[in-house]
Amino acid sequence: MDVIVLVYSGSDSVIRNADYADIDDALQQYFTHSCTQKVQLTGRQLRTQAEKLAKDLNHPDWKCSDGWFDRWKKRHNITCRVSDHHHQSKKHSYHR
């Protein structure tokens, strides 16, 4: 079953079918749950989780490409912020 998502494109919205909609949906659920638990996630953590979910969803050879990940973030209005934990090192994390 395909999932239809809205993609923000300038001032117009465009309907687009997500490639690997099952992975898209599962990663979105994981991200949403993590946000409700106040867990900050890095891009590497999200991409690793996407590949684990793909295997669970019977896509054993699927890799989370830069393009797929960038489109996933755009589809779900997810941005990266740099946070400074304990003033020691800067860490990138994703937020809505």
Side-chain angles (χ1 to χ4, degrees):
M1 181 168 119
D2 288 342
V3 173
I4 297 176
V5 294
L6 291 175
V7 177
Y8 181 72
S9 173
S11 61
D12 299 320
S13 292
V14 179
I15 295 177
R16 175 187 166 108
N17 290 329
D19 294 334
Y20 296 97
D22 52 347
I23 300 169
D24 184 284
D25 185 50
L27 187 60
Q28 175 59 22
Q29 289 178 24
Y30 172 81
F31 181 77
T32 300
H33 177 73
S34 297
C35 287
T36 62
Q37 300 298 313
K38 307 245 187 264
V39 175
Q40 291 187 349
L41 298 167
T42 65
R44 180 175 288 165
Q45 290 170 320
L46 285 168
R47 291 175 71 143
T48 298
Q49 183 63 30
E51 290 183 0
K52 287 179 186 176
L53 292 166
K55 287 179 183 168
D56 292 345
L57 294 167
N58 205 27
H59 301 291
D61 298 326
W62 184 84
K63 299 292 181 206
C64 187
S65 68
D66 292 340
W68 187 91
F69 188 60
D70 288 343
R71 288 187 301 276
W72 178 82
K73 291 184 295 184
K74 284 182 185 178
R75 280 192 293 276
H76 299 288
N77 195 29
I78 296 169
T79 58
C80 178
R81 294 184 190 160
V82 179
S83 59
D84 194 358
H85 292 292
H86 301 56
H87 305 289
Q88 294 174 353
S89 64
K90 291 186 179 185
K91 183 177 181 182
H92 297 266
S93 60
Y94 287 86
H95 304 273
R96 194 176 285 168

